[in-house]
Amino acid sequence: MTKIPFSKVVCDGHELTYIREVLASGWLTTAGKTQAFEERFAESVGARFACAVNSCTAALHLALEALGVGPGNKVLVPTMTFTATAEVVRYLEADPVFLDVEYGSSLVTPDVLAEALQRHPDAKVFIPVHFGGHPAPLLSETGKGLLELCRKRGVRVVEDAAHAFPARCAGRMIGSIGDVTCFSFYANKTITTGEGGMLTTDDEAIARRTRVMRLHGIDRDIWDRFNASKASWEYDVIAAGYKYNMPDITAAIGLAQLERAELLRQERQRCAYYYLRNLAAIDCIDLPRVSVDMADHAWHLFPIILKRNAPVSRDHFIELLGERGIGTSVHYKPLHRMTYYRERYCLKPEDYPNAERIWKGCVSLPIYSSLTDDELEYICSAVADILQ
Ligand SMILES: *Cc1c(COP(=O)(O)O)cnc(C)c1O
């Protein structure tokens, strides 16, 4: 029986070497490896500051906190995302406003955003999600990109780039564009540390606040406490901060993954090309809409959408692929369908027609660096066999 899991991590770079260095150092949590990871990550996306944390969720929380989001503030988020994007808004007692997305890309479009900004002139922050690794249209030649629309209205932009490393928009790396960008190194993301995240920004005040709040609201930087001549017990607490720092063991894995990030991306792009070529003839599915260069896409996911004329339901399709040893996933059951958000904000499916259409048919196929052409062929034949 062929077994092709939905996701598989390969750690065949310098992971073990760097972990050994941490073990030998006698200090396992935040120190030099984390600092090195931050420096290399900032360099790789072209941001002034990078702050390592223990998840993307923590990064999103810290970003909103640093921007002063508080009770009753409105934050615009796509409905087609993971709950973390919206839950952090609730941590601060602010309210998410859910936006419909484009059919085929699952991205918020400038048209939808422009309408939402008119309807909610008091919105404070917009969180675009670079769905599946496809960069959201932040910048455009006509000046009508998502970021440009927000700038005109004084709305801050915190990017949820959990899917989007490495990726580019209009020639710039994701991580160097919005006010703040948040990355995830969760187990199934494009580069991983098991659990981990990174916040990037060019704004020194945001970086400073993030560094204080990620470690208990302590006013001295983590390395400073262990390296500086001033005694490590001598510090002040200037806010009720959080415990969101990244341990050095984690950063060691991150450093090794970062070295191969572009190589891994190219392998996922190979998978995407294979699917786009070999699934194009199946007329009861829609393939992901790609409106950027293939090389600007992080290719975290390959979501297809079963159309109404498909001979099997989405759920049955997933079962049949499972019987053939092929793992799949669904991205996402939209947030307007989740009990907490639906009940709290009285959300109605008819207000999200595109997300509804996507949700009813979406299936994500395996896409990762170690997926062989033989496995890709096996997956494509199985899909064609079930649907034709
Ligand atoms: C994975 C994910 C997150 C959360 O990342 P963690 O590192 O697990 O906190 C946030 N947003 C999206 C879109 C994700 O896919």
Side-chain angles (χ1 to χ4, degrees), residues 47-371:
R48 276 183 75 200
F49 306 100
C51 305
V53 287
N54 58 9
S55 73
C56 178
T57 307
L60 289 164
H61 182 194
L62 292 169
L64 295 184
E65 200 277 338
L67 289 173
V69 170
N73 288 160
K74 284 183 186 172
V75 177
L76 308 176
V77 300
T79 186
M80 201 43 117
T81 184
F82 183 58
T83 185
T85 317
E87 82 192 30
V88 294
V89 177
R90 294 297 304 139
Y91 289 2
L92 296 159
E93 293 177 66
D95 294 308
V97 173
F98 298 93
L99 307 184
D100 200 11
V101 295
E102 179 185 56
Y103 181 83
S105 72
S106 289
L107 297 170
V108 170
T109 63
D111 283 348
V112 166
L113 179 68
E115 207 249 325
L117 289 171
Q118 285 218 325
R119 214 160 10 104
H120 303 279
D122 52 341
K124 187 149 182 164
V125 177
F126 168 51
I127 311 184
V129 174
H130 303 293
F131 191 95
H134 190 306
L138 296 172
L139 303 165
S140 93
E141 280 157 15
T142 59
K144 295 236 171 69
L146 300 170
L147 182 76
E148 290 143 339
L149 289 172
C150 287
R151 288 275 185 267
K152 274 181 212 144
R153 296 248 177 188
V155 172
R156 310 301 293 268
V157 174
V158 173
E159 296 165 55
D160 181 338
H163 300 178
F165 182 76
R168 270 187 192 80
C169 176
R172 286 164 64 182
M173 285 295 287
I174 297 296
S176 68
I177 304 174
D179 293 298
V180 189
T181 308
C182 303
F183 296 91
S184 175
F185 309 129
Y186 179 69
N188 65 9
K189 300 289 159 76
T190 57
I191 69 167
T192 182
T193 60
E195 300 281 359
M198 190 74 81
L199 178 156
T200 64
T201 185
D202 281 349
D203 185 321
E204 194 167 0
I206 292 175
R208 206 178 315 119
R209 180 70 179 176
T210 299
R211 291 193 171 134
V212 167
M213 293 307 281
R214 75 175 163 188
L215 198 73
H216 305 296
I218 289 173
D219 73 336
R220 288 178 69 182
D221 213 348
I222 305 167
W223 1 100
D224 179 43
R225 288 180 58 209
F226 296 99
N227 299 332
S229 50
K230 208 170 155 193
S232 72
W233 51 262
E234 202 185 332
Y235 60 82
D236 193 15
V237 172
I238 56 170
Y242 308 100
K243 173 69 181 180
Y244 281 165
N245 58 305
M246 174 182 280
D248 258 23
I249 294 257
T250 303
I253 302 172
L255 273 169
Q257 291 268 302
L258 184 57
E259 289 169 353
R260 283 172 310 135
E262 176 53 25
L263 203 96
L264 300 175
R265 195 204 63 76
Q266 284 167 17
E267 293 298 331
R268 294 190 302 275
Q269 181 175 309
R270 167 182 59 82
C271 301
Y273 264 122
Y274 198 100
Y275 284 137
L276 289 171
R277 259 199 322 271
N278 289 279
L279 298 175
I282 305 174
D283 65 10
C284 65
I285 58 175
D286 281 316
L287 297 175
R289 185 167 175 263
V290 182
S291 47
V292 295
D293 278 1
M294 291 289 279
D296 287 349
H297 197 310
W299 290 112
H300 170 52
L301 299 176
F302 196 89
I304 64 171
I305 306 173
L306 264 64
K307 296 198 276 193
R308 288 192 196 92
N309 64 345
V312 294
S313 71
R314 187 267 310 277
D315 295 5
H316 193 211
F317 178 66
I318 288 175
E319 264 173 43
L320 291 172
L321 286 174
E323 281 168 18
R324 294 168 194 236
I326 300 167
T328 53
S329 190
V330 169
H331 296 92
Y332 291 95
K333 180 172 168 183
L335 296 183
H336 68 260
R337 278 185 167 258
M338 299 297 189
T339 304
Y340 174 74
Y341 300 113
R342 192 188 65 233
E343 289 185 351
R344 184 174 179 94
Y345 297 105
C346 302
L347 305 176
K348 296 187 193 66
E350 55 270 30
D351 290 332
Y352 308 93
N354 292 337
E356 280 292 301
R357 239 179 106 204
I358 296 166
W359 151 245
K360 286 182 178 135
C362 63
V363 181
S364 298
L365 300 176
I367 182 164
Y368 41 86
S369 61
S370 62
L371 207 57

